[in-house]
C-alpha cells in the first residue's frame, strides 16, 4: 500500500472471529485512518431547498489561519469533471429513456435541496476548516420549492429539473392489457386502497467518511471510504467524474458500520475530496456530521400508492393494478430507476395466484436529497400494498383474513410456478409456512388475549403478512481464488461486509470445498486494485452470487490440479478422487494434498500441453434466475387509547431463506430487518416542511427503534432449498423488513378497528394514533 502509506488490514482478512474484533472495539473504520500530512475538510452547504446562487466569495475564508484551499464549482469546471449520473437507466412508457439529472459535485448557479454542497474548505485542522466554512460568503435568491409527491405533480408545482417536465423523471408502466381490463370489468368485487409510505433515512451507525489522496507522479487517485462496493465507486469516479482509466482510481473500504443501501451510492463529497487532494498536493480527510448524514444520505421509501384488486365470488384474486408515485428527490441517483420500477413489479404477485397484474410508476422530483435504495428497495412496498388490500377486502367478502390468504396461496404442486409478472418461482411451501407461523404465534388463542387486554383498558390487535420477495439483483458475479507462496488460499471478492458476517461465511465455504484448514484461508475484500466484479453488496445477493462463484472457483482449482496430482502419484487422472483436501488414488490411501499440488505447480519449469500453469482462477457465476425468499410474519400489539402509545407485544417470523450456511447469522439478518420494519411503523419519517427544511435531523428527533420498544421475537425457519444454483440459499438480508412492516400495520389497524378506525397512514406515533382515535 505504498501509495497510501496505510497498511490496509481489512484486506488481510485472516481473522475469522470478526464479531469479537468488533465487539472489542478493534475494528478499523474509515475515520480511524490517518495519513501523514493530511488536511481536514468542511463542506459549505445550502440552507435553502431551492435558490439561485447570486454571490459566492471565498476571499475571507482563504485569509484565515490554516486554510489551504476553498474548492467551488468553478474549480470543478476548470478540472473538467463530470456529474454523478444514474447507473441504471430504464425506458418509460413512451419508449424514451428516463430523464437523468446527475448530481453536481458542487452547486454552481442553483441549489435544489437543503444541505446540497456548494463549496469545500480545506485546512490544517478540522476547527480551522469549520471556521473557514463560516467565512465563505454566499448570497441566495430563494425560489419556490416542493417536497410533497402529490403536490410535485400538480400543474402549478415549482419545477425541480428543466429536463423533467412536470417533475416526472419517468412515467413507467407494465402489464396494462386487455385481459387485465376484462378481469376488472367482470370482477365480483374490486377493492381499492390508497397508502402513504413516508420518506426515511438509513441512519447507519457509521456516518459517511472519506480520506482522499492524489499521487502527482502517477496521476493516480486513492479514496478510502465507507462504501458497499469499491468497484462500483471506482467505476463512477473514473468513468463519470474524472474521465480516466479505471486503474487511475483506487478505492479502499475498511470496516463498514452499516450500509442499508445508501452506501452503494457514489456521493459528490467523495469526488470533491479527491479534487481537493489534487489541488493541495496533500491527503484530505472528512467525516460527515450526523446532521450532514440526515440531509445528504440518499433518502429511502417515499412513495404514494394506489391499488385495485379484483376478486371472484369465491374470494379468489383475479387481477391487481398498482399505481405508484415514487420520490426520487432533486437528482436521479445510481439505482433509483430500478428501485422504483422492477423491484416493486417483481414482488407484486407475492405468494398468491394472481392471473394478471399491472403497475404504473411515476418517478417524481422534489426539493429534497436524492432518493435511493433502502433495505428492501421497493420490494416491501409491493408486499405492503398486497397485504393491505387483502386485509381491507376480507370483511367485505365475508371471509376470515387467514382463509382469504389460504385460498389464494400458490400450492406446492404448482412449482415451478410462472407468476403474472414474469417471475418463475422454483420452490416454496407457502401454506406450510403460514400454518407454522399461526401455531408459533398461537393465533387461535388471540381472542382470549384480546379480552384480557380489554379488561385493562387496552386495545389489542394481531396482524399477518405472507410475503415473497425477489433476491439476487444483477445475476453475474466473479470470485478470484489464488494460492499464495506461503501455502495459503486467498479468496478475492468484490462483495464485502458491512455487518452481515462475510468474513466468517466465505473462508468457511472455501475451507469446506477445498478441504483445507480455516486458518489457511484469507479473504480479500475492499480494495478495487485486487478484487473482481463491479456490483456492490446489495439486493440480498451476496451469498447466492458470491457464494456460488466461490464454489465454482474452488471446483475449478480442483479440476486444474488433477493432472498434476496424477503425475505426482503416478496414476491416471480418472483414477483419482478428491476428498478432504487430498487427491487420492481410488482403492488406496495413496494421495497428495491440494496445497502441495499448488506448490509443485508453482515451481514447475515446464507445463505439459493442455494443463493449466496455475490453480489460480477467476470463476464467474451467471445465475439463471433470481431467488425467492419468502415467509409469514405475525405481529401482536397493545394500544393505550388514553395516550395513543402502541406497544408491540411479540413478533413471530417464519422464514424460508433456503439452505442456511450460517443459521445464527441468518437469524441476525432477519431480526435486524424486523427491527427496521417495525421502526417505520413506530415513527421513522423524515419531516420536511413546506420550505424544504428538515425538522427532525437528529437522533433526538428521528425515532428509530430502541431496545425498550422492539418486542420479543419468536423465530422459526422452513428451509426449502433454491433449485437454481448449487448452494440452495435464498436471500435473507431484507426479508425481515418485507414481513414485519405489513404485519405490524395489520396488527395496529386490527386494534384500532375496535374503535371504528378503518384506515390510518404511517407512521403510528402516539400523537397520530391518539388524534385518530379522537376523530
Amino acid at each position: 500500500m505504498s501509495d497510501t502509506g496505510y497498511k490496509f488490514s481489512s484486506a488481510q482478512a485472516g481473522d475469522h472471529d470478526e464479531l469479537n474484533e468488533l465487539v472489542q472495539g478493534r475494528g478499523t473504520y474509515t475515520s480511524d485512518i490517518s495519513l501523514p500530512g493530511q488536511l481536514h475538510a468542511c463542506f459549505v452547504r445550502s440552507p435553502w431547498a431551492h435558490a439561485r446562487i447570486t454571490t459566492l466569495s471565498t476571499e475571507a475564508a482563504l485569509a484565515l489561519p490554516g486554510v489551504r484551499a476553498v474548492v467551488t464549482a468553478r474549480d470543478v469546471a476548470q478540472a473538467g469533471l463530470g456529474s454523478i449520473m444514474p447507473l441504471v437507466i430504464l425506458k418509460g412508457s413512451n419508449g424514451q429513456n428516463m430523464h437523468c439529472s446527475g448530481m453536481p459535485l458542487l452547486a454552481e448557479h442553483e441549489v435544489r435541496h437543503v444541505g446540497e454542497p456548494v463549496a469545500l474548505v480545506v485546512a490544517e485542522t478540522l476547527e480551522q476548516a469549520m471556521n473557514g466554512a463560516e467565512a465563505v460568503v454566499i448570497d441566495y435568491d430563494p425560489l419556490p420549492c416542493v417536497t410533497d409527491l402529490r403536490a410535485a405533480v400538480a400543474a402549478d408545482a415549482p419545477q425541480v429539473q428543466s429536463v423533467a417536465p412536470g417533475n416526472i423523471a419517468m412515467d413507467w408502466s407494465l402489464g396494462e392489457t386487455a385481459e387485465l381490463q376484462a378481469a376488472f370489468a367482470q370482477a365480483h368485487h374490486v377493492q381499492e386502497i390508497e397508502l402513504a409510505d413516508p420518506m426515511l433515512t438509513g441512519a447507519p451507525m457509521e456516518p459517511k467518511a472519506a480520506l482522499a489522496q492524489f499521487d502527482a507522479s502517477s496521476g493516480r487517485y486513492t479514496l478510502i471510504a465507507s462504501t458497499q462496493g469499491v468497484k462500483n465507486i471506482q467505476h463512477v469516479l473514473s468513468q463519470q467524474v474524472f474521465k480516466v482509466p479505471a486503474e487511475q482510481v483506487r478505492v479502499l473500504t475498511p470496516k463498514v458500520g452499516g450500509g442499508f443501501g445508501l452506501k452503494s451510492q457514489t456521493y459528490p463529497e467523495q469526488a470533491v475530496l479527491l479534487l481537493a487532494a489534487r489541488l493541495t498536493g496533500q491527503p484530505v480527510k472528512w467525516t460527515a456530521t450526523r446532521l450532514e448524514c440526515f440531509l445528504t444520505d440518499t433518502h429511502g421509501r417515499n412513495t404514494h400508492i394506489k391499488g385495485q384488486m379484483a376478486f371472484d365470488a369465491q374470494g379468489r384474486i383475479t387481477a391487481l393494478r398498482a399505481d405508484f408515485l415514487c420520490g426520487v428527490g432533486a437528482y436521479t441517483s445510481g439505482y433509483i430507476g430500478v428501485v422504483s420500477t422492477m423491484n416493486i413489479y417483481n414482488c407484486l404477485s407475492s405468494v398468491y395466484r394472481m392471473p394478471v397484474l399491472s403497475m404504473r410508476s411515476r418517478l417524481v422530483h422534489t426539493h429534497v436529497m436524492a432518493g435511493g435504495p433502502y433495505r428492501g428497495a421497493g420490494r416491501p412496498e409491493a408486499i405492503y400494498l398486497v397485504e393491505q388490500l387483502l386485509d381491507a377486502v376480507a370483511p367485505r367478502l365475508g371471509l376470515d383474513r387467514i382463509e382469504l390468504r389460504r385460498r389464494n396461496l400458490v400450492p406446492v404442486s404448482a412449482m415451478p410456478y410462472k407468476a403474472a409478472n414474469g417471475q418463475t418461482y422454483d420452490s416454496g411451501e407457502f401454506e406450510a409456512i403460514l400454518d407454522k407461523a399461526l401455531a408459533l404465534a398461537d393465533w387461535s388463542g388471540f381472542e382470549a388475549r384480546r379480552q384480557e387486554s380489554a379488561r385493562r383498558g387496552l386495545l389489542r390487535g394481531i396482524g399477518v403478512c405472507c410475503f415473497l420477495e425477489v433476491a439476487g439483483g444483477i445475476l453475474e458475479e466473479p470470485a478470484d481464488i489464488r494460492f499464495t507462496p506461503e501455502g495459503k488460499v486467498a479468496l478475492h471478492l468484490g462483495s464485502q461486509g458491512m455487518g452481515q458476517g462475510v468474513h466468517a461465511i466465505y473462508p468457511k465455504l472455501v475451507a469446506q470445498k477445498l478441504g483445507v484448514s480455516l486458518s489457511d484461508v484469507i479473504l480479500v475484500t475492499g480494495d478495487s486494485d485486487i478484487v473482481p466484479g463491479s456490483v456492490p453488496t446489495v439486493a440480498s445477493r451476496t451469498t447466492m452470487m458470491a457464494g456460488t462463484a466461490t464454489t465454482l472457483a474452488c471446483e475449478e482449482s480442483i479440476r486444474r490440479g488433477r493432472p498434476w496430482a496424477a503425475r505426482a502419484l503416478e496414476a491416471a487422472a480418472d483414477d483419482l478422487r478428491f476428498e478432504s483436501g487430498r487427491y487420492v488414488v481410488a482403492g488406496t490411501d495413496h494421495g497428495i494434498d491440494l496445497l502441495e499440488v499448488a506448490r509443485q505447480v508453482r515451481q514447475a519449469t515446464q507445463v505439459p500441453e493442455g494443463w493449466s500453469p496455475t490453480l489460480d482462477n477467476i470463476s464467474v457465476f451467471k445465475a439463471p434466475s433470481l431467488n425467492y425468499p419468502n415467509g409469514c410474519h405475525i405481529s401482536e400489539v397493545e394500544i393505550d387509547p388514553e395516550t395513543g402509545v402502541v406497544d408491540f407485544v411479540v413478533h413471530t417470523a417464519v422464514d424460508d431463506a433456503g439452505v442456511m450456511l450460517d443459521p445464527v447469522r441468518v437469524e441476525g439478518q432477519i431480526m435486524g430487518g424486523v427491527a427496521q420494519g417495525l421502526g417505520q411503523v413506530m415513527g421513522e419519517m423524515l419531516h420536511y416542511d413546506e420550505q424544504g427544511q428538515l425538522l427532525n435531523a437528529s437522533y433526538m428527533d428521528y425515532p428509530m427503534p430502541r431496545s425498550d420498544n422492539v418486542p420479543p421475537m419468536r423465530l422459526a425457519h422452513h428451509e426449502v432449498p433454491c433449485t437454481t444454483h448449487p448452494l440452495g440459499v435464498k436471500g435473507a438480508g431484507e426479508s425481515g423488513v418485507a414481513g414485519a412492516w405489513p404485519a405490524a400495520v395489520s396488527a395496529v389497524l386490527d386494534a384500532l378497528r375496535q374503535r371504528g378506525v378503518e384506515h390510518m397512514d404511517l407512521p403510528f406515533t402516539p400523537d397520530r394514533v391518539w388524534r385518530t382515535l379522537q376523530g
Side-chain angles (χ1 to χ4, degrees):
M1 306 281 311
S2 58
D3 56 339
T4 67
Y6 170 71
K7 185 178 180 182
F8 198 60
S9 60
S10 175
Q12 315 293 323
D15 177 11
H16 305 293
D17 197 3
E18 185 187 27
L19 181 60
N20 283 345
E21 180 185 48
L22 298 178
V23 169
Q24 293 170 10
R26 295 186 287 112
T28 298
Y29 298 85
T30 299
S31 294
D32 295 323
I33 302 169
S34 293
L35 295 176
Q38 70 185 17
L39 302 174
H40 296 266
C42 181
F43 283 90
V44 181
R45 300 184 181 275
S46 169
W48 297 96
H50 193 202
R52 276 188 291 269
I53 299 172
T54 59
T55 304
L56 196 164
S57 175
T58 64
E59 284 81 1
L62 287 167
L64 290 177
V67 174
R68 298 289 296 274
V70 179
V71 184
T72 67
R74 178 176 298 180
D75 300 296
V76 172
Q78 288 177 349
L81 306 189
S83 299
I84 296 172
M85 302 299 291
L87 292 169
V88 178
I89 301 174
L90 279 69
K91 293 184 182 296
S93 304
N94 59 3
Q96 301 299 309
N97 284 343
M98 176 178 76
H99 297 299
C100 296
S101 304
M103 296 180 182
L105 305 190
L106 293 170
E108 183 173 12
H109 304 296
E110 189 173 332
V111 292
R112 291 181 172 87
H113 68 88
V114 173
E116 182 168 359
V118 181
L120 174 69
V121 177
V122 180
E124 294 170 5
T125 69
L126 179 57
E127 183 179 8
Q128 289 171 337
M130 295 171 68
N131 290 338
E134 291 286 340
V136 174
V137 177
I138 307 176
D139 292 328
Y140 298 92
D141 181 13
L143 298 170
C145 71
V146 61
T147 60
D148 178 77
L149 294 180
R150 285 174 292 178
V153 297
D156 59 348
Q159 188 75 15
V160 181
Q161 294 286 354
S162 60
V163 298
N167 292 322
I168 303 294
M170 181 171 64
D171 191 337
W172 180 94
S173 63
L174 199 59
E176 188 64 32
T177 63
E179 183 183 4
L180 180 132
Q181 293 168 4
F184 275 102
Q186 298 164 12
H188 170 72
H189 178 80
V190 174
Q191 184 64 39
E192 298 186 356
I193 202 165
E194 189 167 347
L195 303 167
D197 170 25
M199 193 185 323
L200 307 179
T201 183
M205 186 179 297
E206 181 200 17
K208 294 198 298 287
L211 178 55
Q213 187 177 23
F214 178 73
D215 184 345
S217 63
S218 64
R220 196 164 194 244
Y221 300 89
T222 299
L223 178 74
I224 302 173
S226 179
T227 78
Q228 287 180 230
V230 292
K231 299 294 280 190
N232 173 61
I233 307 299
Q234 179 196 45
H235 170 80
V236 173
L237 291 174
S238 63
Q239 304 304 303
Q240 296 184 4
V241 177
F242 291 98
K243 303 169 188 175
V244 298
E247 58 268 20
Q248 289 299 106
V249 177
R250 186 183 194 184
V251 181
L252 300 163
T253 293
K255 299 295 185 187
V256 178
F260 311 122
L262 65 91
K263 290 181 182 176
S264 64
Q265 175 66 36
T266 305
Y267 287 92
E269 290 90 344
Q270 295 163 342
V272 177
L273 290 163
L274 287 171
L275 176 59
R278 189 176 93 184
L279 294 175
T280 61
Q282 293 177 248
V284 180
K285 184 175 183 175
W286 169 75
T287 300
T289 65
R290 190 58 62 184
L291 174 61
E292 286 180 300
C293 290
F294 270 97
L295 293 173
T296 65
D297 287 354
T298 52
H299 293 351
R301 306 288 187 249
N302 193 22
T303 63
H304 186 83
I305 311 167
K306 292 182 179 179
Q308 297 175 306
M309 188 175 276
F311 295 84
D312 65 15
Q314 287 73 46
R316 294 187 175 88
I317 302 168
T318 59
L320 170 68
R321 178 183 285 128
D323 189 345
F324 282 75
L325 293 178
C326 295
V328 303
Y331 302 102
T332 43
S333 66
Y335 296 102
I336 195 65
V338 69
V339 167
S340 304
T341 55
M342 292 305 299
N343 274 17
I344 302 172
Y345 181 77
N346 285 340
C347 289
L348 282 172
S349 55
S350 188
V351 294
Y352 304 111
R353 289 172 292 186
M354 204 174 291
V356 286
L357 61 85
S358 74
M359 175 183 158
R360 180 189 186 191
S361 179
R362 284 167 285 173
L363 280 62
V364 181
H365 281 295
T366 57
H367 288 106
V368 301
M369 175 59 189
Y374 170 69
R375 199 170 192 169
R379 299 185 285 275
E381 286 86 331
I383 303 303
Y384 181 44
L385 170 62
V386 170
E387 293 297 300
Q388 281 293 287
L389 280 165
L390 291 173
D391 275 1
V393 79
R396 289 163 176 80
L397 295 176
L399 291 172
D400 172 77
R401 286 180 288 168
I402 302 301
E403 175 56 28
L404 175 62
R405 286 168 168 81
R406 197 182 296 277
R407 288 189 186 187
N408 287 283
L409 290 173
V410 176
V412 175
S413 60
M415 298 298 171
Y417 176 75
K418 181 67 175 292
N421 55 10
Q423 299 298 308
T424 298
Y425 305 163
D426 63 285
S427 60
E429 298 176 358
F430 307 141
E431 187 168 18
I433 287 174
L434 171 61
D435 288 337
K436 186 178 288 188
L438 293 173
L440 189 61
D442 187 22
W443 183 279
S444 61
F446 172 73
E447 283 305 322
R449 298 194 295 277
R450 194 200 297 267
Q451 293 172 15
E452 191 277 329
S453 296
R455 287 192 289 271
R456 293 184 284 114
L458 303 177
L459 306 174
R460 197 176 188 111
I462 194 168
V464 62
C465 168
C466 297
F467 70 92
L468 173 145
E469 62 159 359
V470 298
I474 301 169
L475 297 177
E476 184 172 318
E477 184 74 19
D480 179 350
I481 276 190
R482 306 179 191 181
F483 290 79
T484 74
E486 297 78 23
K488 305 288 186 181
V489 182
L491 172 65
H492 296 238
L493 290 178
S495 299
Q496 62 192 50
M498 50 185 173
Q500 73 274 45
V502 300
H503 283 75
I505 294 171
Y506 296 113
K508 186 182 297 183
L509 183 61
V510 171
Q512 291 172 346
K513 296 297 180 182
L514 296 183
V516 299
S517 169
L518 188 61
S519 62
D520 286 333
V521 182
I522 301 170
L523 177 63
V524 180
T525 65
D527 184 344
S528 64
D529 270 5
I530 53 176
V531 300
S534 61
V535 183
T537 302
V538 294
S540 298
R541 68 186 299 276
T542 307
T543 303
M544 168 192 170
M545 296 304 301
T548 303
T550 297
T551 299
L552 296 179
C554 289
E555 292 172 350
E556 176 62 14
S557 292
I558 294 169
R559 186 194 69 79
R560 291 184 177 201
R562 186 173 297 275
W564 292 94
R567 185 171 74 172
L569 296 170
E570 299 179 343
D574 290 343
D575 290 338
L576 299 185
R577 65 180 188 274
F578 185 82
E579 58 184 30
S580 302
R582 289 172 57 82
Y583 297 94
V584 180
V585 179
T588 75
D589 59 359
H590 188 41
I592 185 171
D593 290 344
L594 173 68
L595 294 180
E596 173 59 22
V597 172
R599 186 190 67 80
Q600 292 184 12
V601 172
R602 186 181 306 105
Q603 294 178 351
T605 57
Q606 292 184 333
V607 179
E609 184 178 354
W611 292 21
S612 174
T614 177
L615 273 57
D616 299 355
N617 73 92
I618 299 176
S619 291
V620 178
F621 173 54
K622 297 181 179 180
S625 72
L626 299 164
N627 68 84
Y628 305 96
N630 60 89
C632 178
H633 287 209
I634 295 173
S635 207
E636 199 163 329
V637 303
E638 283 185 330
I639 300 175
D640 185 345
E642 297 298 319
T643 63
V645 171
V646 178
D647 179 24
F648 284 86
V649 179
V650 64
H651 187 89
T652 301
V654 178
D655 283 87
D656 171 15
V659 175
M660 296 186 291
L661 300 183
D662 190 329
V664 172
R665 293 183 188 275
V666 169
E667 288 203 353
Q669 288 295 299
I670 291 170
M671 292 174 72
V674 168
Q676 285 186 284
L678 296 182
Q680 182 166 357
V681 177
M682 292 176 186
E684 286 194 55
M685 176 182 181
L686 291 174
H687 289 272
Y688 280 92
D689 67 14
E690 293 181 354
Q691 286 72 48
Q693 298 294 325
L694 182 56
L695 303 181
N696 60 334
S698 76
Y699 282 174
M700 291 293 292
D701 303 301
Y702 185 82
M704 291 185 294
R706 291 169 169 80
S707 59
D708 62 343
N709 55 22
V710 173
M713 297 185 196
R714 299 170 181 160
L715 303 183
H717 303 282
H718 191 87
E719 291 187 60
V720 182
C722 178
T723 64
T724 59
H725 64 91
L727 293 182
V729 301
K730 301 175 183 177
E734 294 163 302
S735 58
V737 178
W741 163 17
V745 171
S746 177
V748 173
L749 293 179
D750 181 56
L752 293 178
R753 285 191 187 97
Q754 298 169 74
R755 294 291 181 89
V757 176
E758 290 296 323
H759 178 75
M760 181 180 169
D761 277 324
L762 293 166
F764 296 132
T765 56
D767 63 315
R768 287 169 55 84
V769 171
W770 184 85
R771 291 179 187 277
T772 299
L773 286 169
Q774 303 314 303

